[in-house]
């Protein structure tokens, strides 16, 4: 089993899983059952999408094509707009 994607949220994990399955690659989301253990607190680094080792090259191409991107590098500051109102 190879981890092809580490997700920040459940939506991205399942998006990757379904894209892989549509291409005929069996995929499994690890860590999904751990999300409820922390209640309302966010739990990072536990969601991973695994695939068989033999499907690694094709799976990596599929994940790259999804272009899920990353969060902005700068955190939200107090100077940012709040609910569309200027700061």
């Amino acid at each position: 089993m190879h981890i092809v994607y580490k997700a920040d949220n459940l939506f991205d994990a399942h998006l990757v899983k379904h894209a892989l399955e549509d291409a005929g690659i069996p995929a499994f989301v690890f860590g999904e059952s751990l999300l409820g253990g922390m209640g309302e607190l966010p739990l990072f680094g536990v969601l991973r999408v695994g695939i068989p080792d033999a499907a690694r090259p094709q799976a990596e191409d599929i994940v790259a094509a999804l272009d899920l991107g990353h969060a902005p590098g700068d955190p939200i500051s107090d100077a940012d707009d709040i609910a569309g109102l200027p700061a």
Side-chain angles (χ1 to χ4, degrees):
M1 184 72 49
H2 173 73
I3 302 301
V4 73
Y5 184 73
K6 293 179 183 175
D8 291 332
N9 58 65
L10 193 56
F11 297 111
D12 285 349
H14 278 278
L15 177 69
V16 170
K17 177 182 185 279
H18 291 295
L20 293 168
E21 289 177 339
D22 285 346
I25 300 171
F28 183 78
V29 176
F30 293 99
E32 185 173 2
S33 60
L34 298 174
L35 293 180
M38 291 299 292
E40 296 296 320
L41 298 175
L43 190 59
F44 299 105
V46 297
L47 291 172
R48 300 167 320 279
V49 179
I51 49 107
D53 291 330
R56 182 178 180 177
Q58 183 185 4
E60 288 176 348
D61 291 341
I62 291 168
V63 172
L66 290 174
D67 192 29
L68 295 174
H70 299 313
D74 297 326
I76 296 173
S77 71
D78 292 334
D80 290 338
D81 293 347
I82 298 173
L85 302 174

PDB file of all heavy atoms in Angstrom, residues 7-34:
ATOM      1  N   ALA A   7      -4.430  14.414   2.812  1.00  0.00           N
ATOM      2  CA  ALA A   7      -5.486  15.420   2.681  1.00  0.00           C
ATOM      3  C   ALA A   7      -5.601  16.282   3.929  1.00  0.00           C
ATOM      4  O   ALA A   7      -5.370  15.821   5.047  1.00  0.00           O
ATOM      5  CB  ALA A   7      -6.821  14.724   2.415  1.00  0.00           C
ATOM      6  N   ASP A   8      -6.001  17.537   3.708  1.00  0.00           N
ATOM      7  CA  ASP A   8      -6.266  18.450   4.812  1.00  0.00           C
ATOM      8  C   ASP A   8      -7.703  18.333   5.298  1.00  0.00           C
ATOM      9  O   ASP A   8      -8.020  18.742   6.406  1.00  0.00           O
ATOM     10  CB  ASP A   8      -6.008  19.896   4.382  1.00  0.00           C
ATOM     11  CG  ASP A   8      -4.543  20.178   4.154  1.00  0.00           C
ATOM     12  OD1 ASP A   8      -3.697  19.516   4.795  1.00  0.00           O
ATOM     13  OD2 ASP A   8      -4.237  21.061   3.335  1.00  0.00           O
ATOM     14  N   ASN A   9      -8.576  17.799   4.443  1.00  0.00           N
ATOM     15  CA  ASN A   9      -9.980  17.671   4.837  1.00  0.00           C
ATOM     16  C   ASN A   9     -10.597  16.456   4.149  1.00  0.00           C
ATOM     17  O   ASN A   9     -10.043  15.907   3.203  1.00  0.00           O
ATOM     18  CB  ASN A   9     -10.766  18.952   4.510  1.00  0.00           C
ATOM     19  CG  ASN A   9     -10.717  19.307   3.052  1.00  0.00           C
ATOM     20  OD1 ASN A   9     -11.234  18.554   2.216  1.00  0.00           O
ATOM     21  ND2 ASN A   9     -10.088  20.429   2.708  1.00  0.00           N
ATOM     22  N   LEU A  10     -11.739  16.069   4.659  1.00  0.00           N
ATOM     23  CA  LEU A  10     -12.414  14.865   4.174  1.00  0.00           C
ATOM     24  C   LEU A  10     -12.891  15.011   2.733  1.00  0.00           C
ATOM     25  O   LEU A  10     -12.890  14.045   1.968  1.00  0.00           O
ATOM     26  CB  LEU A  10     -13.583  14.537   5.095  1.00  0.00           C
ATOM     27  CG  LEU A  10     -14.224  13.173   4.956  1.00  0.00           C
ATOM     28  CD1 LEU A  10     -13.199  12.064   5.126  1.00  0.00           C
ATOM     29  CD2 LEU A  10     -15.348  13.011   5.962  1.00  0.00           C
ATOM     30  N   PHE A  11     -13.270  16.215   2.337  1.00  0.00           N
ATOM     31  CA  PHE A  11     -13.747  16.434   0.969  1.00  0.00           C
ATOM     32  C   PHE A  11     -12.643  16.146  -0.046  1.00  0.00           C
ATOM     33  O   PHE A  11     -12.869  15.470  -1.047  1.00  0.00           O
ATOM     34  CB  PHE A  11     -14.262  17.864   0.784  1.00  0.00           C
ATOM     35  CG  PHE A  11     -15.443  18.183   1.651  1.00  0.00           C
ATOM     36  CD1 PHE A  11     -15.315  19.081   2.691  1.00  0.00           C
ATOM     37  CD2 PHE A  11     -16.667  17.588   1.421  1.00  0.00           C
ATOM     38  CE1 PHE A  11     -16.401  19.368   3.499  1.00  0.00           C
ATOM     39  CE2 PHE A  11     -17.758  17.870   2.226  1.00  0.00           C
ATOM     40  CZ  PHE A  11     -17.619  18.762   3.269  1.00  0.00           C
ATOM     41  N   ASP A  12     -11.456  16.681   0.212  1.00  0.00           N
ATOM     42  CA  ASP A  12     -10.339  16.443  -0.706  1.00  0.00           C
ATOM     43  C   ASP A  12      -9.953  14.969  -0.739  1.00  0.00           C
ATOM     44  O   ASP A  12      -9.640  14.428  -1.800  1.00  0.00           O
ATOM     45  CB  ASP A  12      -9.121  17.280  -0.315  1.00  0.00           C
ATOM     46  CG  ASP A  12      -9.277  18.741  -0.665  1.00  0.00           C
ATOM     47  OD1 ASP A  12     -10.231  19.089  -1.385  1.00  0.00           O
ATOM     48  OD2 ASP A  12      -8.431  19.550  -0.214  1.00  0.00           O
ATOM     49  N   ALA A  13      -9.976  14.314   0.415  1.00  0.00           N
ATOM     50  CA  ALA A  13      -9.623  12.892   0.477  1.00  0.00           C
ATOM     51  C   ALA A  13     -10.562  12.072  -0.403  1.00  0.00           C
ATOM     52  O   ALA A  13     -10.121  11.209  -1.175  1.00  0.00           O
ATOM     53  CB  ALA A  13      -9.658  12.394   1.919  1.00  0.00           C
ATOM     54  N   HIS A  14     -11.852  12.343  -0.310  1.00  0.00           N
ATOM     55  CA  HIS A  14     -12.813  11.577  -1.101  1.00  0.00           C
ATOM     56  C   HIS A  14     -12.798  11.992  -2.576  1.00  0.00           C
ATOM     57  O   HIS A  14     -13.063  11.158  -3.444  1.00  0.00           O
ATOM     58  CB  HIS A  14     -14.215  11.672  -0.502  1.00  0.00           C
ATOM     59  CG  HIS A  14     -14.411  10.710   0.612  1.00  0.00           C
ATOM     60  ND1 HIS A  14     -14.733   9.387   0.416  1.00  0.00           N
ATOM     61  CD2 HIS A  14     -14.278  10.859   1.957  1.00  0.00           C
ATOM     62  CE1 HIS A  14     -14.812   8.773   1.572  1.00  0.00           C
ATOM     63  NE2 HIS A  14     -14.531   9.636   2.529  1.00  0.00           N
ATOM     64  N   LEU A  15     -12.475  13.229  -2.861  1.00  0.00           N
ATOM     65  CA  LEU A  15     -12.326  13.651  -4.250  1.00  0.00           C
ATOM     66  C   LEU A  15     -11.213  12.856  -4.925  1.00  0.00           C
ATOM     67  O   LEU A  15     -11.378  12.332  -6.027  1.00  0.00           O
ATOM     68  CB  LEU A  15     -12.028  15.148  -4.329  1.00  0.00           C
ATOM     69  CG  LEU A  15     -11.782  15.704  -5.720  1.00  0.00           C
ATOM     70  CD1 LEU A  15     -13.078  15.690  -6.518  1.00  0.00           C
ATOM     71  CD2 LEU A  15     -11.219  17.100  -5.643  1.00  0.00           C
ATOM     72  N   VAL A  16     -10.085  12.729  -4.237  1.00  0.00           N
ATOM     73  CA  VAL A  16      -8.964  11.953  -4.771  1.00  0.00           C
ATOM     74  C   VAL A  16      -9.339  10.483  -4.886  1.00  0.00           C
ATOM     75  O   VAL A  16      -9.080   9.838  -5.908  1.00  0.00           O
ATOM     76  CB  VAL A  16      -7.712  12.140  -3.890  1.00  0.00           C
ATOM     77  CG1 VAL A  16      -6.612  11.164  -4.270  1.00  0.00           C
ATOM     78  CG2 VAL A  16      -7.204  13.571  -3.984  1.00  0.00           C
ATOM     79  N   LYS A  17      -9.970   9.950  -3.858  1.00  0.00           N
ATOM     80  CA  LYS A  17     -10.374   8.533  -3.862  1.00  0.00           C
ATOM     81  C   LYS A  17     -11.280   8.230  -5.053  1.00  0.00           C
ATOM     82  O   LYS A  17     -11.071   7.254  -5.782  1.00  0.00           O
ATOM     83  CB  LYS A  17     -11.095   8.182  -2.564  1.00  0.00           C
ATOM     84  CG  LYS A  17     -11.619   6.754  -2.503  1.00  0.00           C
ATOM     85  CD  LYS A  17     -12.367   6.529  -1.198  1.00  0.00           C
ATOM     86  CE  LYS A  17     -12.806   5.111  -1.029  1.00  0.00           C
ATOM     87  NZ  LYS A  17     -14.017   4.771  -1.736  1.00  0.00           N
ATOM     88  N   HIS A  18     -12.276   9.071  -5.284  1.00  0.00           N
ATOM     89  CA  HIS A  18     -13.214   8.823  -6.380  1.00  0.00           C
ATOM     90  C   HIS A  18     -12.560   9.000  -7.747  1.00  0.00           C
ATOM     91  O   HIS A  18     -12.866   8.263  -8.690  1.00  0.00           O
ATOM     92  CB  HIS A  18     -14.450   9.700  -6.245  1.00  0.00           C
ATOM     93  CG  HIS A  18     -15.309   9.322  -5.082  1.00  0.00           C
ATOM     94  ND1 HIS A  18     -15.965   8.117  -4.982  1.00  0.00           N
ATOM     95  CD2 HIS A  18     -15.599   9.983  -3.931  1.00  0.00           C
ATOM     96  CE1 HIS A  18     -16.618   8.046  -3.849  1.00  0.00           C
ATOM     97  NE2 HIS A  18     -16.413   9.167  -3.184  1.00  0.00           N
ATOM     98  N   ALA A  19     -11.647   9.960  -7.862  1.00  0.00           N
ATOM     99  CA  ALA A  19     -10.938  10.138  -9.131  1.00  0.00           C
ATOM    100  C   ALA A  19     -10.090   8.909  -9.444  1.00  0.00           C
ATOM    101  O   ALA A  19     -10.029   8.456 -10.598  1.00  0.00           O
ATOM    102  CB  ALA A  19     -10.063  11.387  -9.075  1.00  0.00           C
ATOM    103  N   LEU A  20      -9.449   8.357  -8.424  1.00  0.00           N
ATOM    104  CA  LEU A  20      -8.641   7.151  -8.626  1.00  0.00           C
ATOM    105  C   LEU A  20      -9.517   5.954  -8.979  1.00  0.00           C
ATOM    106  O   LEU A  20      -9.199   5.175  -9.878  1.00  0.00           O
ATOM    107  CB  LEU A  20      -7.802   6.860  -7.376  1.00  0.00           C
ATOM    108  CG  LEU A  20      -6.708   7.878  -7.074  1.00  0.00           C
ATOM    109  CD1 LEU A  20      -6.153   7.661  -5.668  1.00  0.00           C
ATOM    110  CD2 LEU A  20      -5.598   7.792  -8.104  1.00  0.00           C
ATOM    111  N   GLU A  21     -10.621   5.810  -8.278  1.00  0.00           N
ATOM    112  CA  GLU A  21     -11.530   4.688  -8.557  1.00  0.00           C
ATOM    113  C   GLU A  21     -12.139   4.795  -9.946  1.00  0.00           C
ATOM    114  O   GLU A  21     -12.353   3.776 -10.606  1.00  0.00           O
ATOM    115  CB  GLU A  21     -12.613   4.608  -7.483  1.00  0.00           C
ATOM    116  CG  GLU A  21     -12.074   4.127  -6.152  1.00  0.00           C
ATOM    117  CD  GLU A  21     -13.115   4.115  -5.054  1.00  0.00           C
ATOM    118  OE1 GLU A  21     -14.137   4.817  -5.166  1.00  0.00           O
ATOM    119  OE2 GLU A  21     -12.895   3.400  -4.071  1.00  0.00           O
ATOM    120  N   ASP A  22     -12.409   6.019 -10.403  1.00  0.00           N
ATOM    121  CA  ASP A  22     -12.931   6.197 -11.765  1.00  0.00           C
ATOM    122  C   ASP A  22     -11.927   5.742 -12.815  1.00  0.00           C
ATOM    123  O   ASP A  22     -12.304   5.335 -13.913  1.00  0.00           O
ATOM    124  CB  ASP A  22     -13.299   7.655 -12.017  1.00  0.00           C
ATOM    125  CG  ASP A  22     -14.602   8.057 -11.334  1.00  0.00           C
ATOM    126  OD1 ASP A  22     -15.346   7.153 -10.895  1.00  0.00           O
ATOM    127  OD2 ASP A  22     -14.853   9.274 -11.234  1.00  0.00           O
ATOM    128  N   ALA A  23     -10.635   5.802 -12.460  1.00  0.00           N
ATOM    129  CA  ALA A  23      -9.583   5.352 -13.377  1.00  0.00           C
ATOM    130  C   ALA A  23      -9.276   3.868 -13.201  1.00  0.00           C
ATOM    131  O   ALA A  23      -8.364   3.345 -13.828  1.00  0.00           O
ATOM    132  CB  ALA A  23      -8.313   6.169 -13.151  1.00  0.00           C
ATOM    133  N   GLY A  24     -10.036   3.190 -12.341  1.00  0.00           N
ATOM    134  CA  GLY A  24      -9.843   1.761 -12.143  1.00  0.00           C
ATOM    135  C   GLY A  24      -8.797   1.409 -11.095  1.00  0.00           C
ATOM    136  O   GLY A  24      -8.376   0.253 -11.002  1.00  0.00           O
ATOM    137  N   ILE A  25      -8.388   2.378 -10.288  1.00  0.00           N
ATOM    138  CA  ILE A  25      -7.396   2.132  -9.242  1.00  0.00           C
ATOM    139  C   ILE A  25      -8.122   2.032  -7.905  1.00  0.00           C
ATOM    140  O   ILE A  25      -8.786   2.987  -7.480  1.00  0.00           O
ATOM    141  CB  ILE A  25      -6.358   3.270  -9.182  1.00  0.00           C
ATOM    142  CG1 ILE A  25      -5.623   3.388 -10.514  1.00  0.00           C
ATOM    143  CG2 ILE A  25      -5.378   3.059  -8.033  1.00  0.00           C
ATOM    144  CD1 ILE A  25      -4.742   4.619 -10.618  1.00  0.00           C
ATOM    145  N   PRO A  26      -8.006   0.897  -7.210  1.00  0.00           N
ATOM    146  CA  PRO A  26      -8.642   0.805  -5.893  1.00  0.00           C
ATOM    147  C   PRO A  26      -7.951   1.763  -4.926  1.00  0.00           C
ATOM    148  O   PRO A  26      -6.723   1.855  -4.903  1.00  0.00           O
ATOM    149  CB  PRO A  26      -8.432  -0.652  -5.479  1.00  0.00           C
ATOM    150  CG  PRO A  26      -7.435  -1.215  -6.415  1.00  0.00           C
ATOM    151  CD  PRO A  26      -7.323  -0.315  -7.599  1.00  0.00           C
ATOM    152  N   ALA A  27      -8.748   2.495  -4.157  1.00  0.00           N
ATOM    153  CA  ALA A  27      -8.198   3.479  -3.221  1.00  0.00           C
ATOM    154  C   ALA A  27      -8.931   3.384  -1.894  1.00  0.00           C
ATOM    155  O   ALA A  27     -10.097   2.987  -1.837  1.00  0.00           O
ATOM    156  CB  ALA A  27      -8.330   4.883  -3.802  1.00  0.00           C
ATOM    157  N   PHE A  28      -8.227   3.755  -0.816  1.00  0.00           N
ATOM    158  CA  PHE A  28      -8.793   3.697   0.518  1.00  0.00           C
ATOM    159  C   PHE A  28      -8.403   4.955   1.276  1.00  0.00           C
ATOM    160  O   PHE A  28      -7.260   5.389   1.209  1.00  0.00           O
ATOM    161  CB  PHE A  28      -8.279   2.451   1.256  1.00  0.00           C
ATOM    162  CG  PHE A  28      -8.882   2.270   2.618  1.00  0.00           C
ATOM    163  CD1 PHE A  28     -10.151   1.754   2.754  1.00  0.00           C
ATOM    164  CD2 PHE A  28      -8.177   2.641   3.749  1.00  0.00           C
ATOM    165  CE1 PHE A  28     -10.714   1.599   4.009  1.00  0.00           C
ATOM    166  CE2 PHE A  28      -8.731   2.481   5.004  1.00  0.00           C
ATOM    167  CZ  PHE A  28     -10.004   1.960   5.142  1.00  0.00           C
ATOM    168  N   VAL A  29      -9.368   5.539   2.005  1.00  0.00           N
ATOM    169  CA  VAL A  29      -9.086   6.716   2.825  1.00  0.00           C
ATOM    170  C   VAL A  29      -8.773   6.240   4.239  1.00  0.00           C
ATOM    171  O   VAL A  29      -9.624   5.668   4.913  1.00  0.00           O
ATOM    172  CB  VAL A  29     -10.278   7.698   2.829  1.00  0.00           C
ATOM    173  CG1 VAL A  29     -10.007   8.863   3.774  1.00  0.00           C
ATOM    174  CG2 VAL A  29     -10.569   8.198   1.438  1.00  0.00           C
ATOM    175  N   PHE A  30      -7.544   6.473   4.671  1.00  0.00           N
ATOM    176  CA  PHE A  30      -7.127   6.131   6.029  1.00  0.00           C
ATOM    177  C   PHE A  30      -7.357   7.329   6.944  1.00  0.00           C
ATOM    178  O   PHE A  30      -7.145   8.467   6.547  1.00  0.00           O
ATOM    179  CB  PHE A  30      -5.624   5.791   6.067  1.00  0.00           C
ATOM    180  CG  PHE A  30      -5.263   4.544   5.344  1.00  0.00           C
ATOM    181  CD1 PHE A  30      -4.746   4.601   4.064  1.00  0.00           C
ATOM    182  CD2 PHE A  30      -5.429   3.298   5.941  1.00  0.00           C
ATOM    183  CE1 PHE A  30      -4.397   3.463   3.381  1.00  0.00           C
ATOM    184  CE2 PHE A  30      -5.091   2.153   5.264  1.00  0.00           C
ATOM    185  CZ  PHE A  30      -4.573   2.225   3.993  1.00  0.00           C
ATOM    186  N   GLY A  31      -7.776   7.076   8.164  1.00  0.00           N
ATOM    187  CA  GLY A  31      -7.917   8.113   9.175  1.00  0.00           C
ATOM    188  C   GLY A  31      -9.281   8.756   9.245  1.00  0.00           C
ATOM    189  O   GLY A  31      -9.519   9.610  10.091  1.00  0.00           O
ATOM    190  N   GLU A  32     -10.183   8.334   8.385  1.00  0.00           N
ATOM    191  CA  GLU A  32     -11.515   8.944   8.364  1.00  0.00           C
ATOM    192  C   GLU A  32     -12.241   8.749   9.689  1.00  0.00           C
ATOM    193  O   GLU A  32     -12.900   9.658  10.183  1.00  0.00           O
ATOM    194  CB  GLU A  32     -12.322   8.347   7.214  1.00  0.00           C
ATOM    195  CG  GLU A  32     -13.658   8.975   7.006  1.00  0.00           C
ATOM    196  CD  GLU A  32     -14.340   8.447   5.749  1.00  0.00           C
ATOM    197  OE1 GLU A  32     -13.790   7.576   5.062  1.00  0.00           O
ATOM    198  OE2 GLU A  32     -15.443   8.934   5.468  1.00  0.00           O
ATOM    199  N   SER A  33     -12.098   7.587  10.288  1.00  0.00           N
ATOM    200  CA  SER A  33     -12.806   7.307  11.531  1.00  0.00           C
ATOM    201  C   SER A  33     -12.217   8.056  12.721  1.00  0.00           C
ATOM    202  O   SER A  33     -12.840   8.139  13.775  1.00  0.00           O
ATOM    203  CB  SER A  33     -12.793   5.807  11.820  1.00  0.00           C
ATOM    204  OG  SER A  33     -11.460   5.351  11.942  1.00  0.00           O
ATOM    205  N   LEU A  34     -11.024   8.628  12.568  1.00  0.00           N
ATOM    206  CA  LEU A  34     -10.403   9.363  13.664  1.00  0.00           C
ATOM    207  C   LEU A  34     -10.919  10.789  13.791  1.00  0.00           C
ATOM    208  O   LEU A  34     -10.695  11.439  14.810  1.00  0.00           O
ATOM    209  CB  LEU A  34      -8.881   9.415  13.459  1.00  0.00           C
ATOM    210  CG  LEU A  34      -8.174   8.069  13.453  1.00  0.00           C
ATOM    211  CD1 LEU A  34      -6.714   8.251  13.086  1.00  0.00           C
ATOM    212  CD2 LEU A  34      -8.311   7.397  14.798  1.00  0.00           C
TER     213      LEU A  34
END
